[in-house]
Amino acid sequence: MKISPATIYAQAHAAGNAAVQTANVTPMIVTGHANPLDDSSKVTEQYFVADGVCGFASVIVRPANSSFARYLKTIRRTYKHYYGGLNMPISEFNQSLQRKEAYAEAFAAVLRQSGIDAYVDSRMD
Protein backbone atom coordinates (compact mmCIF):
# COMPACT_ATOMS: atom_id res chain seq x y z
CA MET A 1 0.00 0.00 0.00
CA LYS A 2 1.45 3.32 -1.08
CA ILE A 3 1.45 6.06 1.54
CA SER A 4 0.59 9.56 0.34
CA PRO A 5 3.20 12.33 0.52
CA ALA A 6 0.88 14.29 2.83
CA THR A 7 0.77 11.37 5.27
CA ILE A 8 4.56 10.96 5.17
CA TYR A 9 4.95 14.70 5.77
CA ALA A 10 2.57 14.55 8.75
CA GLN A 11 4.47 11.60 10.24
CA ALA A 12 7.83 13.29 9.71
CA HIS A 13 6.56 16.55 11.18
CA ALA A 14 5.25 14.73 14.27
CA ALA A 15 8.59 12.92 14.69
CA GLY A 16 10.46 16.20 14.34
CA ASN A 17 8.33 17.93 16.96
CA ALA A 18 8.76 14.97 19.33
CA ALA A 19 12.53 15.16 18.86
CA VAL A 20 12.51 18.87 19.72
CA GLN A 21 10.61 18.17 22.93
CA THR A 22 13.31 15.75 24.09
CA ALA A 23 16.30 17.68 22.71
CA ASN A 24 18.93 18.46 25.32
CA VAL A 25 19.81 22.05 24.43
CA THR A 26 22.95 23.48 25.99
CA PRO A 27 22.36 27.14 26.91
CA MET A 28 25.10 29.68 26.34
CA ILE A 29 26.22 32.91 27.93
CA VAL A 30 27.34 35.67 25.60
CA THR A 31 29.87 37.97 27.22
CA GLY A 32 30.92 41.40 26.02
CA HIS A 33 34.34 42.77 27.00
CA ALA A 34 35.67 46.33 27.16
CA ASN A 35 38.25 45.19 24.60
CA PRO A 36 36.58 42.63 22.31
CA LEU A 37 39.98 41.23 21.34
CA ASP A 38 41.09 40.63 24.95
CA ASP A 39 39.14 38.05 26.97
CA SER A 40 40.91 39.18 30.15
CA SER A 41 39.57 42.76 29.81
CA LYS A 42 36.67 43.98 31.95
CA VAL A 43 33.29 42.32 31.29
CA THR A 44 30.84 45.00 30.21
CA GLU A 45 27.72 42.90 29.57
CA GLN A 46 26.42 39.32 29.64
CA TYR A 47 23.41 37.65 28.07
CA PHE A 48 21.93 34.25 28.89
CA VAL A 49 20.68 32.45 25.77
CA ALA A 50 18.49 29.51 26.79
CA ASP A 51 18.16 28.26 23.18
CA GLY A 52 21.91 27.68 22.86
CA VAL A 53 23.94 28.50 19.79
CA CYS A 54 22.30 30.10 16.76
CA GLY A 55 22.18 28.42 13.41
CA PHE A 56 20.33 27.00 10.45
CA ALA A 57 19.17 23.50 9.54
CA SER A 58 17.48 22.11 6.45
CA VAL A 59 16.27 18.78 5.14
CA ILE A 60 17.51 18.04 1.63
CA VAL A 61 15.23 15.81 -0.47
CA ARG A 62 16.43 14.18 -3.69
CA PRO A 63 15.50 14.00 -6.49
CA ALA A 64 13.56 17.22 -6.89
CA ASN A 65 11.03 15.54 -9.18
CA SER A 66 9.97 12.77 -6.78
CA SER A 67 6.34 12.68 -5.67
CA PHE A 68 7.33 13.79 -2.17
CA ALA A 69 9.42 16.68 -3.51
CA ARG A 70 6.52 17.75 -5.71
CA TYR A 71 4.25 17.70 -2.65
CA LEU A 72 6.71 19.93 -0.75
CA LYS A 73 6.64 22.37 -3.66
CA THR A 74 2.84 22.56 -3.49
CA ILE A 75 2.93 23.55 0.18
CA ARG A 76 5.73 26.03 -0.56
CA ARG A 77 8.21 24.62 1.95
CA THR A 78 11.25 24.36 -0.32
CA TYR A 79 13.63 25.90 -2.79
CA LYS A 80 16.22 24.42 -5.13
CA HIS A 81 19.30 23.07 -3.40
CA TYR A 82 22.64 24.12 -4.85
CA TYR A 83 23.81 20.51 -5.30
CA GLY A 84 20.49 19.18 -6.61
CA GLY A 85 17.25 18.23 -4.97
CA LEU A 86 15.12 20.45 -2.78
CA ASN A 87 16.09 22.29 0.37
CA MET A 88 13.41 22.45 3.10
CA PRO A 89 14.65 24.99 5.67
CA ILE A 90 13.56 24.56 9.27
CA SER A 91 12.22 27.97 10.21
CA GLU A 92 10.67 27.11 13.56
CA PHE A 93 12.34 27.06 17.00
CA ASN A 94 13.72 30.61 17.00
CA GLN A 95 17.45 30.60 16.28
CA SER A 96 18.30 27.39 18.18
CA LEU A 97 20.64 25.27 16.07
CA GLN A 98 20.25 22.26 18.36
CA ARG A 99 16.45 22.29 18.17
CA LYS A 100 16.46 22.82 14.40
CA GLU A 101 18.93 19.95 13.95
CA ALA A 102 16.90 17.64 16.21
CA TYR A 103 13.76 18.35 14.17
CA ALA A 104 15.57 17.96 10.84
CA GLU A 105 17.26 14.67 11.83
CA ALA A 106 13.97 13.12 12.98
CA PHE A 107 12.13 14.44 9.91
CA ALA A 108 14.77 13.07 7.54
CA ALA A 109 14.80 9.69 9.35
CA VAL A 110 11.07 9.25 8.69
CA LEU A 111 11.59 10.15 5.04
CA ARG A 112 14.41 7.61 4.70
CA GLN A 113 12.23 4.92 6.35
CA SER A 114 9.64 5.70 3.67
CA GLY A 115 12.20 5.19 0.89
CA ILE A 116 12.84 8.88 0.23
CA ASP A 117 16.43 10.06 -0.23
CA ALA A 118 16.86 12.75 2.45
CA TYR A 119 19.65 14.16 4.58
CA VAL A 120 20.27 17.10 6.90
CA ASP A 121 22.35 20.16 6.18
CA SER A 122 23.10 22.59 9.01
CA ARG A 123 25.50 25.31 10.05
CA MET A 124 26.18 27.49 13.02
CA ASP A 125 25.52 31.19 12.59
Side-chain angles (χ1 to χ4, degrees):
M1 179 176 181
K2 187 167 169 103
I3 300 174
S4 74
T7 301
I8 295 170
Y9 180 88
Q11 292 171 348
H13 182 63
N17 282 328
V20 169
Q21 297 302 316
T22 60
N24 186 16
V25 176
T26 305
M28 70 174 178
I29 296 176
V30 179
T31 304
H33 291 272
N35 180 350
L37 301 177
D38 181 7
D39 286 345
S40 63
S41 67
K42 180 182 175 190
V43 173
T44 57
E45 56 191 346
Q46 284 189 323
Y47 303 98
F48 179 77
V49 183
D51 283 341
V53 298
C54 300
F56 303 92
S58 297
V59 176
I60 311 304
V61 176
R62 297 173 88 181
N65 63 353
S66 68
S67 62
F68 188 76
R70 287 193 310 272
Y71 172 75
L72 289 177
K73 288 178 192 176
T74 65
I75 61 172
R76 301 180 188 269
R77 289 282 312 188
T78 62
Y79 59 90
K80 290 180 183 179
H81 188 257
Y82 184 79
Y83 295 108
L86 290 181
N87 182 325
M88 184 185 91
I90 309 307
S91 56
E92 296 86 2
F93 318 113
N94 299 323
Q95 295 182 9
S96 176
L97 175 62
Q98 290 172 297
R99 286 191 174 99
K100 289 175 185 281
E101 284 179 332
Y103 179 93
E105 291 290 350
F107 194 101
V110 170
L111 298 187
R112 288 190 297 270
Q113 290 170 358
S114 299
I116 298 166
D117 183 12
Y119 65 94
V120 175
D121 184 26
S122 67
R123 66 182 170 88
M124 189 182 296
D125 190 18

